[in-house]
Amino acid sequence: MEVSSTAIAVTESSQAGHARRTASALAARLGFSEEDQGKVAIVVSEAAKNLVAHAREGQILLRTLHAGSHVGVEMLALDKGPGMVDVERCLRDGYSTAGTGGSGLGAMRRMSCLFDIYSQPGVGTVVLARLWSGKPPPEDGLDVGVVCVPKTGEEVCGDSWAVDRKDGRLVFLVADGLGHGPEAARASRAAVVSFLEQGSSDVVELLRGAHQELHSTRGAAVALTALDGARLHFSGVGNIAAAVVSPEGGIQRMVSMNGTLGHQTHRMQQFSYTWNQGDTLVMCSDGLATQWRVDAYPGLLARHPGVVAGVLFRDFSRGRDDATVLVARETSRRGMP
């Protein structure tokens, strides 16, 4: 699951075409039918045209989705444009503020297996669309959104992430290899390999296994979170930030220990926190500024975690490092509109 996103700046029409071609090529490599490839192309093209027409600092993030034997494409369109006062009105076919046909957002929603949007006047908009090859996978009780983007100028991301079910618990990992580039990527992916090979859901035991696996690498910051009913268990080494966010926006930040996994660690310790109905888990590498927050975005926590990850990346990315944001919420316990 440790798939990074391809980031494409979209501020002019030629870049919109590049985004569409990149998405089409990705769908073709994944084995999408011609019809489904066409849907991917239309969704990304409509999003890109909206960015060119309305946005400031627009970009599209593309990511491969895997769920068992199912494969899909996820698109996040991010911008710092004028935003929308009435999102539902903008989704209606025929509505336009730029003299176009006005069918873009409505068509995107119809063609997508999952579609969500968050817009704030004067701040910007984030649009999420997921399209699967054939039928979408069955619901599994968990919504996860991830942005994982390499530092500008790097071809590979030094961060990695994974989600696995162990001993009946959902366990999440975020790893940030020391530095950037291929060697950082090798370190963070070694942490993912160790995590997926181990059967235990004990976060400290998993961290110790990753520590052994990373000895031959430059090392990484690694954090693990396990959901266990009404409790959340966390253990981390290095500067991976993690927090539980309540539906009202209150943040309970978690404690990670100093050190670099694979090299120098002073202590590995588990901390436990309360996990209530509707809570949201956020984990991120230090590519995000430490002052990230959600209380300035009314209604954001009612949106899909992929949209939440997109907003946090858009507004708090440092822009000079690999950046990963993982956001998760249990669908069966969401209790939100």
Side-chain angles (χ1 to χ4, degrees):
M1 293 184 69
E2 30 120 12
V3 181
S4 61
S5 306
T6 299
I8 304 168
V10 180
T11 58
E12 58 183 42
S13 57
S14 65
Q15 294 170 320
H18 174 58
R20 174 182 52 78
R21 291 189 295 272
T22 301
S24 296
L26 175 58
R29 288 198 302 272
L30 293 173
F32 277 53
S33 67
E34 287 191 11
E35 180 182 357
D36 288 341
Q37 289 178 42
K39 290 179 180 179
V40 171
I42 290 171
V43 167
V44 173
S45 179
E46 292 294 338
K49 286 191 291 186
N50 282 340
L51 292 178
V52 172
H54 303 290
R56 299 189 308 273
E57 301 180 42
Q59 62 178 316
I60 283 179
L61 307 183
L62 298 172
R63 181 168 70 90
T64 302
L65 302 171
H66 295 281
S69 61
H70 300 265
V71 293
V73 172
E74 177 186 273
M75 181 211 69
L76 273 169
L78 319 176
D79 74 64
K80 294 185 178 181
M84 307 176 198
V85 175
D86 187 340
V87 171
E88 282 302 318
R89 185 183 181 195
C90 294
L91 284 166
R92 295 180 200 139
D93 288 349
Y95 177 81
S96 173
T97 61
T100 64
S103 61
L105 288 174
M108 291 167 63
R109 179 164 61 174
R110 286 192 303 275
M111 292 184 181
S112 301
C113 299
L114 184 150
F115 181 88
D116 203 5
I117 185 169
Y118 179 79
S119 191
Q120 194 173 12
V123 178
T125 300
V126 170
V127 177
L128 168 69
R130 287 182 177 175
L131 300 95
W132 294 89
S133 176
K135 293 183 178 180
E139 297 282 343
D140 63 358
L142 178 72
D143 282 341
V144 178
V146 179
V147 172
C148 183
V149 176
K151 177 185 177 183
T152 302
E154 295 287 351
E155 294 186 359
V156 296
C157 186
D159 294 352
S160 294
W161 63 276
V163 181
D164 198 14
R165 195 176 291 273
K166 301 176 183 290
D167 298 334
R169 297 177 177 179
L170 285 164
V171 188
F172 306 84
L173 173 144
V174 172
D176 178 358
L178 194 64
H180 315 288
E183 288 305 307
R186 188 170 79 88
S188 65
R189 289 171 185 171
V192 169
V193 169
S194 171
F195 168 73
L196 295 176
E197 287 179 344
Q198 296 182 72
S200 173
S201 64
D202 183 286
V203 289
V204 173
E205 187 175 332
L206 289 166
L207 206 58
R208 287 175 178 151
H211 182 56
Q212 295 298 317
E213 187 75 25
L214 267 64
H215 279 332
S216 62
T217 73
R218 61 171 56 175
V222 179
L224 290 144
T225 306
L227 299 184
D228 184 16
R231 302 293 291 172
L232 179 150
H233 308 295
F234 176 83
S235 186
V237 170
N239 50 2
I240 302 294
V244 177
V245 184
S246 72
E248 297 75 32
I251 297 180
Q252 184 176 212
R253 298 188 185 270
M254 303 181 212
V255 177
S256 191
M257 312 306 291
N258 292 328
T260 302
L261 211 67
H263 292 276
Q264 184 177 16
T265 60
H266 300 289
R267 183 171 49 159
M268 298 181 196
Q269 183 176 346
Q270 173 182 291
F271 297 91
S272 296
Y273 304 86
T274 301
W275 178 254
N276 294 313
Q277 181 176 359
D279 282 349
T280 298
L281 170 68
V282 179
M283 300 176 70
C284 54
S285 68
D286 67 348
L288 248 67
T290 56
Q291 75 271 20
W292 66 264
R293 51 189 293 188
V294 295
D295 57 342
Y297 304 93
L300 176 60
L301 291 173
R303 309 323 311 165
H304 189 279
V307 173
V308 180
V311 169
L312 292 177
F313 171 77
R314 180 195 67 187
D315 292 350
F316 297 102
S317 173
R318 296 180 188 273
R320 60 178 186 273
D321 200 353
D322 303 316
T324 296
V325 191
L326 182 153
V327 182
R329 187 185 306 122
E330 291 176 290
T331 55
S332 60
R333 302 173 46 157
R334 185 182 305 173
M336 290 187 287

